[in-house]
Amino acid sequence: MRSHYCGHLHLAHLDQEVELCGWVHRRRDHGGIIFVDLRDREGVVQVVFDPERPQCFAEAERLRSEYVVRVRGRVRRRPAGTENPDLATGEVEVVAHGLEILNRAETPPFPLDEYTEVGEEVRLRYRYLDLRRPQMLERLRLRSRIVSTLRAFLDGHGFIEVETPCLTKATPEGARDYLVPSRVHPGAFYALPQSPQIFKQLLMMSGFDRYYQVARCFRDEDLRADRQPEFTQLDIEVSFMDEREITLLMEEMIRDLFARVLEVPLPRAFPRMSYAEAVRRFGTDRPDLRIPLELVDVADLVREAEFKVFAGPANDPAGRVAALRVPGGGRLSRKEIDDYTAFVGRYGARGLAYVKVNEAARGREGLQSPILKFLPDEAVQGILERTGAVDGDLVFFGADKAAVVNESLGALRVRLGHDLGLVEHGWRPLWVVDFPMFEWNADEGRWEALHHPFTAPRCDDPEALAADPGAVLSRAYDLVLNGHEIGGGSVRIHRPEMQQAVFRLLGLSEAEAEEKFGFLVRALRYGCPPHGGIAFGLDRLAMLMTGAPSIRDVIAFPKTQTASCPLTGAPAAVSEAQLRELNLRVRHSG
């Protein structure tokens, strides 16, 4: 039906007869001549309807926004002074000789010919229209390029793409499973995969050596700006490589991706930082290095202070007192400080102490804060020296359990960076390494794997692991980009006795371990090679590379928080009884 895409026309097509199909993006009537911006997935071109062709012109008068049409015409150069440098086709236009209206359209619920803020619920209800908007099309097009570029790199480095099952048994991946009732086994359920973790390890045991998969994964979690319960990841596993070899290869892949898709060079060597240092300096294991603000420990300076809000956590082994210097923050109003206090309250902080530095040289007299009267002179002077605070700065404090301080001040650091325009331009990748192997769950009185129970510890002795689990580091690594974890992985356990030791530490009895993971332990006994891997979140990576505000802006049909699908109105989930009734109807209908 067409000879060219609209967005492909340029000066090389002058005087050619073309046939185009697309949507009416915009229609303008100027003094008896009708101009239509015709749009398809490749772009927009201007079509001119002249009254000298009365039948064609009469049809053009009927056109409205989003009509689907077919146009036949001749390409010509736009008259001098009417070129549009904002369009790839801005030097040419098509003089219409024929017009066929293929389908009419009702007035869209929001304009598609210009960018307007539209509520997410409306956008998702009319997702087929939302996807017509050029910015959405470009995001999904770039996402497609990301996937194809990554596939090409891995294919070129000897990886084999293998599909793994979507209906499997539940495995401990750190989130809730989605369960699917089985018709042929009444009362039994399949679990949708949180990741292909077990299967890709079994592939290494099978001798595949290098595997990858663009895998669909499911985790029953709440929606966030950068998280969906149904998501896509690039899953990778290799044999006979240690963590340094794996991370170096992945660096090369990400550099290749940014160079080919965004034409942006990334550093030749990504920096590395231990988990402990990242949390100490930034309050999180996924720091945004573009923000030049850091947390500074001051507990030792306030242990003897009368201010119990500080002294309590300072003398608690599980507590932390940290300061966050804000350059130029002295200009913040009391209302703005109150707003930041409410902000950290979302993360469990019970308040937000602060000190404004008006004239540092005057010592206490040059400072402004309601907490100064509770702090001795040496503590005040020590805080100023350690934070490097100068005139015009403001210092915020967090004092509580370490987890609360880290989370609240870490989030505040990011918020301040964006609010005060402190975010540096560019891309700042970072490997976070040396994670703890386990973390203690005080509520349940047991150890939990910080990543997953198949991650290898740095120690190679099961007895040493059991002697002091809290001191053992894992062979895990996360790739962080501009404050977002885009990939996480580890070297895996490849010896059965170490895997069984980890299961015991996690509180699994021999019977439970056999029931849940007996097949894995048996496989480890038949010559399992050293192996490791990583998984990259493609949705999150696409969100960052396109600059989209939300992960839902790079997914064609994302999940929502509503009880029913806004697009179809169908229930988002059905009960087991409803599902069985549906199965019966399907079988009876043949």
Side-chain angles (χ1 to χ4, degrees):
M1 294 183 70
R2 62 182 169 203
S3 63
H4 298 77
Y5 280 106
C6 296
H8 287 173
L9 298 180
H10 50 79
L11 292 175
H13 297 99
L14 290 179
D15 296 323
Q16 290 187 21
E17 293 287 329
V18 296
E19 294 187 20
L20 308 174
C21 294
W23 287 263
V24 174
H25 191 61
R26 189 181 289 113
R27 175 186 176 276
R28 306 180 301 282
D29 193 335
H30 290 174
I33 297 179
I34 295 174
F35 296 89
V36 168
D37 290 339
L38 188 64
R39 184 191 74 242
D40 59 24
R41 76 170 203 190
E42 297 300 322
V44 174
V45 69
Q46 179 171 278
V47 180
V48 182
F49 294 90
D50 195 300
E52 292 181 2
R53 297 179 181 272
Q55 183 175 354
C56 183
F57 188 82
E59 280 289 282
E61 287 184 313
R62 300 167 52 200
L63 296 180
R64 296 294 182 268
S65 177
E66 297 309 302
Y67 272 36
V68 185
V69 301
R70 180 186 182 191
V71 173
R72 179 173 52 83
R74 180 178 58 85
V75 181
R76 75 180 183 188
R77 186 187 294 270
R78 286 199 189 194
T82 67
E83 299 91 346
N84 185 348
D86 295 329
L87 283 181
T89 61
E91 294 182 288
V92 300
E93 60 188 13
V94 175
V95 180
H97 298 163
L99 169 65
E100 180 183 359
I101 297 176
L102 301 174
N103 213 339
R104 294 167 175 77
E106 296 180 6
T107 302
F110 47 84
L112 306 181
D113 62 344
E114 60 184 22
Y115 180 79
T116 55
E117 291 290 341
V118 183
E120 186 173 74
E121 190 67 21
V122 175
R123 289 177 57 199
L124 293 178
R125 185 178 302 122
Y126 298 97
R127 191 61 162 182
Y128 42 85
L129 296 179
D130 187 44
L131 292 176
R132 291 184 194 173
R133 300 204 291 178
Q135 61 269 32
M136 284 300 300
L137 176 63
E138 285 308 307
R139 287 168 184 163
L140 290 174
R141 188 199 301 273
L142 190 140
R143 178 193 171 110
S144 177
R145 287 189 62 200
I146 290 171
V147 175
S148 62
T149 303
L150 292 170
R151 271 195 163 108
F153 179 92
L154 294 169
D155 289 341
H157 283 75
F159 284 79
I160 299 173
E161 183 171 10
V162 181
E163 292 183 352
T164 56
C166 277
L167 294 176
T168 181
K169 66 184 296 183
T171 58
E173 295 277 354
R176 296 184 182 92
D177 290 302
Y178 281 109
L179 300 179
V180 179
S182 170
R183 178 183 60 82
V184 295
H185 302 287
F189 293 78
Y190 295 106
L192 297 180
Q194 294 186 34
S195 81
Q197 180 64 42
I198 295 291
F199 292 109
K200 67 180 182 177
Q201 288 192 245
L202 292 174
L203 285 170
M204 294 304 101
M205 300 170 200
S206 303
F208 275 72
D209 194 73
R210 295 189 176 197
Y211 139 95
Y212 81 92
Q213 178 182 189
V214 177
R216 200 68 169 167
C217 304
F218 307 85
R219 295 180 185 176
D220 191 2
E221 298 178 321
D222 294 334
L223 290 175
R224 301 181 193 174
D226 65 346
R227 181 172 295 179
Q228 277 277 123
E230 180 181 338
F231 60 97
T232 307
Q233 68 183 33
L234 176 64
D235 206 55
I236 297 169
E237 199 81 4
V238 295
S239 295
F240 304 112
M241 295 180 73
D242 62 21
E243 52 266 57
R244 182 158 188 85
E245 292 172 308
I246 294 171
T247 54
L248 287 176
L249 180 61
M250 294 301 100
E251 280 185 29
E252 184 183 350
M253 183 181 74
I254 297 299
R255 277 195 299 270
D256 179 75
L257 173 67
F258 273 73
R260 293 182 183 275
V261 176
L262 297 184
E263 299 182 352
V264 171
L266 293 182
R268 290 304 306 169
F270 293 179
R272 294 166 186 259
M273 183 181 297
S274 71
Y275 170 88
E277 181 182 354
V279 172
R280 174 175 57 81
R281 293 173 57 189
F282 306 107
T284 177
D285 60 358
R286 51 186 188 281
D288 189 342
L289 298 184
R290 300 173 301 163
I291 300 173
L293 303 177
E294 294 191 19
L295 280 59
V296 177
D297 285 312
V298 295
D300 59 309
L301 301 176
V302 297
R303 283 199 178 98
E304 307 303 323
E306 297 179 8
F307 194 35
K308 300 303 181 185
V309 172
F310 279 10
N315 289 283
D316 181 354
R320 186 180 187 190
V321 183
L324 178 65
R325 179 178 76 91
V326 184
R331 67 179 184 271
L332 293 176
S333 67
R334 181 55 190 265
K335 180 183 182 305
E336 288 173 311
I337 293 175
D338 288 344
D339 289 342
Y340 288 126
T341 302
F343 173 76
V344 297
R346 304 176 199 169
Y347 300 90
R350 290 172 288 185
L352 187 62
Y354 69 91
V355 171
K356 282 188 176 183
V357 184
N358 299 325
E359 294 182 65
R362 295 179 59 198
R364 183 186 294 271
E365 299 304 317
L367 307 178
Q368 179 184 346
S369 170
I371 67 169
L372 283 175
K373 58 187 176 181
F374 301 111
L375 299 177
D377 289 342
E378 58 271 21
V380 173
Q381 188 60 35
I383 289 170
L384 293 179
E385 292 175 357
R386 191 170 294 180
T387 59
V390 298
D391 294 354
D393 289 352
L394 180 143
V395 180
F396 282 121
F397 297 91
D400 210 310
K401 295 294 184 183
V404 173
V405 172
N406 293 337
E407 191 169 0
S408 59
L409 284 192
L412 178 63
R413 171 184 172 271
V414 174
R415 172 76 178 269
L416 287 165
H418 286 276
D419 287 354
L420 303 181
L422 301 175
V423 183
E424 300 167 356
H425 178 72
W427 301 95
R428 299 290 300 276
L430 171 71
W431 285 110
V432 178
V433 297
D434 295 337
F435 287 85
M437 181 75 179
F438 304 102
E439 57 184 350
W440 181 251
N441 186 326
D443 293 335
E444 298 185 15
R446 64 181 182 88
W447 292 106
E448 293 180 339
L450 190 66
H451 277 74
H452 55 63
F454 319 112
T455 298
R458 287 209 172 274
C459 72
D460 199 35
D461 182 1
E463 292 185 5
L465 180 73
D468 191 2
V472 176
L473 298 179
S474 71
R475 300 178 68 181
Y477 35 82
D478 284 355
L479 183 56
V480 177
L481 183 64
N482 291 3
H484 294 267
E485 179 198 328
I486 61 169
S490 68
V491 171
R492 322 301 187 188
I493 296 169
H494 69 280
R495 292 169 48 215
E497 56 270 22
M498 179 62 78
Q499 187 65 77
Q500 289 169 321
V502 169
F503 288 156
R504 286 194 296 270
L505 274 171
L506 296 177
L508 290 177
S509 66
E510 288 190 15
E512 288 177 305
E514 174 62 30
E515 178 187 357
K516 294 180 178 180
F517 304 110
F519 65 95
L520 176 66
V521 176
R522 282 191 293 276
L524 292 174
R525 295 181 182 136
Y526 286 93
C528 175
H531 62 283
I534 191 168
F536 291 92
L538 289 177
D539 307 322
R540 190 172 297 171
L541 186 58
M543 180 189 75
L544 291 174
M545 294 181 71
T546 62
S550 164
I551 207 166
R552 289 178 286 284
D553 287 293
V554 293
I555 300 173
F557 300 103
K559 298 295 183 183
T560 70
Q561 296 269 25
T562 57
S564 63
C565 173
L567 185 64
T568 65
V574 296
S575 68
E576 184 178 357
Q578 290 172 314
L579 188 61
R580 293 190 186 284
E581 177 63 26
L582 179 62
N583 284 334
L584 286 171
R585 291 203 303 272
V586 170
R587 289 203 303 275
H588 289 162
S589 67

